[in-house]
Amino acid sequence: MQTIIEPFRIKSVDPIRMTERPERERLLAAAHWNLFGLLAEDVIIDLLTDSGTGAMSSEQWAAIMRGDESYAGAKSFVRFEASVRERTGFEHVIPTHQGRAAEHLLFGVFGGAGKRVLNNTHFDTTRANCEVSGATAVDLPGPAGKDTRSDEPFKGDIDLVGLERELQEHGDAVSLVMVTITNNAGGGQPVSLACLRQVRELCDRFDKPFFLDACRFAENAYLIQQREIGQSGRSVADIAREAFDLADGCTVSAKKDGMANIGGFLACRDNDLAANLRQMLVVTEGFPTYGGLAGRDLDAIAQGLHEVVREDYQQYRHASIKYVVDRLHDAGVPVLRPAGGHAIFLDAGRFLPQIPWNAYPGQALAAELYLAGGIRSCEIGSLMLGRVDPQTGAELPAQHELVRLAIPRRTYTQSHMDYLIEVVLDVHARRDTLRGIGIRWQPKVLRHFSAHFEYLAARATV
Ligand SMILES: *Cc1c(COP(=O)(O)O)cnc(C)c1O
């Protein structure tokens, strides 16, 4: 059959409150035109993030009931540890309350003043934890990742030439090499096994530890199976395992491919490193057999790690995202291609060429998607990532003006995706009438979360 269906039935439903445009205009104005200020109840389809927002399976809910809340040596931990070991092959498994707590522990060992950490692209919490430790976070995205229009299959690959140069020039300062799979900050694009093998070789040659930021390890493995030459006959679990086998350890947020609503972990092979990490864990997270989690959460993740490598699940998830990307692209909507693992990215810079970067076309588009159809998305452009020039104090643009439509796992159906397409096409048909957005008030850090906005006069340029 041609039609790829959701490989599950729905057992419990969460009603959506329907709203009309006039009400949404009032609600967004009251939130100072910032989508983060809306209540979830006032959103029809919430695509703000895929983190912790997925639906759990009946087996995961059953696992929640099996949760053992013993302080030390709980049965839940034994199951969690076995599940992580089966997936990753790493001997030492350290539970944390989220991915960023695992990062905090990791940089407690590998961070510090004068150190350099290399990554294809640091996710924002990874960069923050690295920099808070005093170390420098160096991004080395590959050349293919820079062009939103090219159809390259592995736009998440790290720049191997740049990596070798860094290791030659700053060898002593480099404390850790990381690769983020899939590359979240770079559009959810996958990293190839060929690239990971070369990173391993370079790390061996320069004697450096290699860690994966493996939040979306299963989506990455599925995209390798689909796109990398010679990999189509292998299972998602087998490919994922080869990626882990190439690394010395990993940090993971279980809110993504852990298929859970909370949780994370750090895993590694080295005994001394693990002992060191566990000592810090007790101070900031908890006893080593629960970390920052309840026993029931450990059990939900243990089960989620089995379900996420199912071929039918991965096939349905990627088919649904690709369906939206292909339909939008065919209708002439500028969208990042090829489809990544967890989200659809609209290229707001090309969608709204009349709006200059410092009138935030991504924010203008995200606001209009809410007004038009109650869809909540997230600007990833100069509002979120713009930098201030240290010399002149002038604001600098981000590399791209994007709007991310992140798809929660197993939460929305095909008709929600058809509705999403209809809303985007409606806004696209009226794109000439959209206006830029100015900032009326902003905080000093992470301004996109809480800034207040106002619409600029029609066709104003800044
Ligand atoms: C979500 C994420 C993190 C941080 O995980 P949290 O659970 O949100 O703390 C780190 N790296 C990547 C690539 C992520 O997507």
Side-chain angles (χ1 to χ4, degrees), residues 114-116 166-175 208:
K115 302 274 174 58
R116 290 171 85 79
E166 268 285 334
L167 289 165
Q168 261 156 5
E169 288 173 10
H170 303 280
D172 293 342
V174 174
S175 57
K208 300 294 176 194

Side-chain angles (χ1 to χ4, degrees), residues 98-100 103 123 125 180 184 213 215-216 253 255-256:
Q98 283 197 210
R100 67 197 68 186
E103 293 166 351
F123 181 66
T125 60
T180 305
N184 187 0
D213 177 343
C215 295
R216 298 184 180 78
S253 165
K255 301 173 74 173
K256 286 70 174 252

Side-chain angles (χ1 to χ4, degrees), residues 120-297:
N120 47 351
T121 314
H122 289 81
F123 181 66
D124 58 4
T125 60
T126 323
R127 170 175 290 277
N129 274 297
C130 179
E131 289 176 349
V132 161
S133 81
T136 304
V138 181
D139 285 346
L140 298 166
K146 289 176 187 146
D147 182 357
T148 63
R149 275 181 251 209
S150 86
D151 258 334
E152 295 279 332
F154 291 104
K155 288 180 166 184
D157 280 359
I158 195 168
D159 172 8
L160 289 162
V161 177
L163 177 60
E164 185 166 0
R165 193 184 329 112
E166 268 285 334
L167 289 165
Q168 261 156 5
E169 288 173 10
H170 303 280
D172 293 342
V174 174
S175 57
L176 179 66
V177 175
M178 293 187 82
V179 174
T180 305
I181 59 171
T182 56
N183 189 358
N184 187 0
Q189 297 289 321
V191 177
S192 63
L193 275 179
C195 175
L196 293 175
R197 290 189 193 117
Q198 297 206 45
V199 172
R200 176 75 266 169
E201 263 180 48
L202 282 169
C203 287
D204 284 344
R205 178 137 62 89
F206 289 89
D207 196 21
K208 300 294 176 194
F210 169 26
F211 267 63
L212 292 172
D213 177 343
C215 295
R216 298 184 180 78
F217 71 93
E219 290 173 5
N220 198 75
Y222 179 79
L223 290 168
I224 287 173
Q225 184 200 61
Q226 296 299 306
R227 296 181 188 174
E228 191 161 350
I229 294 162
Q231 301 300 324
S232 63
R234 298 176 70 187
S235 70
V236 171
D238 191 29
I239 295 170
R241 181 58 189 268
E242 183 177 341
F244 286 118
D245 284 348
L246 288 164
D248 299 306
C250 66
T251 55
V252 171
S253 165
K255 301 173 74 173
K256 286 70 174 252
D257 277 352
M259 308 288 267
N261 301 125
I262 194 72
F265 58 88
L266 195 152
C268 66
R269 277 182 241 286
D270 188 87
N271 298 336
D272 296 339
L273 172 62
N276 210 338
L277 292 166
R278 285 197 183 101
Q279 278 178 31
M280 295 190 290
L281 183 79
V282 189
V283 180
T284 57
E285 290 284 290
F287 189 73
T289 61
Y290 71 85
L293 294 169
R296 64 181 80 101
D297 298 323

